[in-house]
Amino acid sequence: EASVHCLLVAAVGLDEASQRSTGGSTRHTAGNVDIQLLRSLWPQSESLLNASQLDSGVELAGADDRLACVRAALTRRTPVSIGAIGGSITAGSNYAVRSGATHLYHHKLLAALDAIHPVRNGHSLSNGGVPGTGPTYMEHCVHDHMPRRADLLLVEYAVNTDRNPASFERLLRTLLLLPHAPALVVVNAHRWRAVRPGDGRTDKCWNSKWPVDMAANATQRAAQSWGSAGQRDEINSDEDAIADLCRHYNVPLVSMRGALLGAVRSGALSIPAFMRDCKHPAGEGHTYLAQLLLHRLLSPPALTQAPPARGHPHKCRRAPAAL
């Protein structure tokens, strides 16, 4: 019955070349992982984030207790179940779910965990993305789009919230109150601004047919913003609202904007080098998101905002208190 209802709702480490690409250092690791290993595992990984970008891309470290449980399971060589929910970025297409698409951020995370912490038959991944939908849909149907007992849930809606952050909050609360207490990480992709060449106003989007060279036009680089102090940037209002909710609930948040805005504005990294259009990452953009997730998962913050889980493994399965 719930599935029928959901169907109804649905219908209404850098070498010199990569250093120039991202404008960063040539020596670093991602989540204490050698970048050469990541390049061997991930397609579209010639350019990787440097250490500073990794740190900036973890917009909020959040509470670490649930992620500590995932790390403990990985250390024990226990299979970990990952679920990813979101819109077309997570689904891998504007019209269908591409469960086997290896260029997607969650598949790249899975490949890295399988290599770094191998288990028999591998860790598991469920792609619960639904193209063209946001949390207004998913808050009602999330149980149909995630593993029954996921250990780690990735939530991606920065470009699909449609000015309705209350629905994202209800979805977040639902996930936080799941009885088996999975770890949550919010994954914010970013909508990059496109300025019309005639009047300088923000256009709806851009793609390969747009008449402005997004890689070479300095006006486009300068137009990218995070909003000034005390002001909301309307094009990024959903992303800002999600970040506010993550801070309120102390949920870890990784951010493409946080990692890349400086490099884009300086001209060290061109937007078309990692984006298909203003909203949808290319394979390289998915690589950056995967690298941020791996960094946050495997590199706990020095000073956590909540005590990590300790003791026997069953304590990592405790039911959360009411929010």
Side-chain angles (χ1 to χ4, degrees):
E1 183 176 328
S3 298
V4 173
H5 170 70
C6 289
L7 290 173
L8 292 173
V9 174
V12 275
L14 301 174
D15 55 21
E16 290 183 1
S18 62
Q19 180 187 0
R20 288 193 297 270
S21 174
T22 57
S25 167
T26 60
R27 296 184 64 188
H28 73 279
T29 58
N32 298 319
V33 179
D34 188 280
I35 59 172
Q36 296 306 322
L37 172 63
L38 299 184
R39 286 208 179 104
S40 71
L41 295 171
W42 294 345
Q44 305 93 28
S45 61
E46 284 303 307
S47 168
L48 291 173
L49 302 175
N50 62 40
S52 175
Q53 290 166 330
L54 286 172
D55 290 341
S56 297
V58 179
E59 188 170 335
L60 177 69
D64 194 56
D65 52 343
R66 297 188 185 197
L67 286 174
C69 294
V70 178
R71 289 193 298 273
L74 292 170
T75 301
R76 296 193 309 270
R77 300 294 173 94
T78 300
V80 167
S81 172
I82 303 170
I85 58 174
S88 55
I89 293 173
T90 294
S93 166
N94 289 329
Y95 55 87
V97 178
R98 299 179 63 188
S99 295
T102 58
H103 73 281
L104 300 178
Y105 69 91
H106 41 78
H107 273 278
K108 290 179 175 179
L109 176 64
L110 177 70
L113 294 182
D114 278 339
I116 299 164
H117 296 284
V119 295
R120 181 177 295 181
N121 300 321
H123 303 289
S124 62
L125 170 68
S126 173
N127 184 350
V130 182
T133 66
T136 304
Y137 162 82
M138 193 60 75
E139 64 169 309
H140 301 290
C141 305
V142 65
H143 295 286
D144 295 325
H145 294 279
M146 67 179 190
R148 179 169 294 184
R149 290 185 66 83
D151 299 294
L152 173 63
L153 290 175
L154 311 176
V155 186
E156 171 271 312
Y157 279 114
V159 301
N160 288 79
T161 303
D162 299 326
R163 302 295 193 272
N164 191 6
S167 63
F168 182 88
E169 180 175 17
R170 289 190 292 269
L171 171 63
L172 197 63
R173 289 172 62 89
T174 296
L175 299 176
L176 286 169
L177 290 171
L178 288 171
H180 62 287
L184 304 182
V185 181
V186 172
V187 183
N188 272 2
H190 181 61
R191 178 182 172 184
W192 298 92
R193 188 185 301 274
V195 178
R196 296 194 304 209
D199 56 15
R201 297 180 63 183
T202 298
D203 208 346
K204 182 177 181 181
C205 200
W206 61 269
N207 54 40
S208 58
K209 298 179 181 179
W210 209 53
V212 174
D213 185 346
M214 292 293 289
N217 190 292
T219 301
Q220 304 300 321
R221 296 198 304 267
Q224 310 307 322
S225 66
W226 199 313
S228 57
Q231 275 188 311
R232 286 290 187 179
D233 183 347
E234 282 305 310
I235 198 171
N236 297 320
S237 61
D238 285 344
E239 186 174 352
D240 292 336
I242 287 174
D244 287 343
L245 289 168
C246 288
R247 281 188 284 271
H248 179 75
Y249 290 101
N250 211 19
V251 173
L253 166 65
V254 298
S255 164
M256 175 182 282
R257 175 177 65 176
L260 299 179
L261 183 61
V264 167
R265 283 180 59 85
S266 71
L269 178 64
S270 75
I271 298 173
F274 64 96
M275 296 292 294
R276 286 175 40 220
D277 56 36
C278 66
K279 294 182 179 180
H280 298 93
E284 293 83 355
H286 281 275
T287 292
Y288 297 151
L289 292 175
Q291 198 183 357
L292 289 171
L293 283 167
L294 189 65
H295 179 62
R296 176 60 190 92
L297 173 59
L298 298 186
S299 301
L303 295 174
T304 58
Q305 292 136 310
R310 299 181 183 276
H312 298 293
H314 77 274
K315 290 188 178 181
C316 285
R317 290 292 190 180
R318 63 188 183 281
L323 297 176

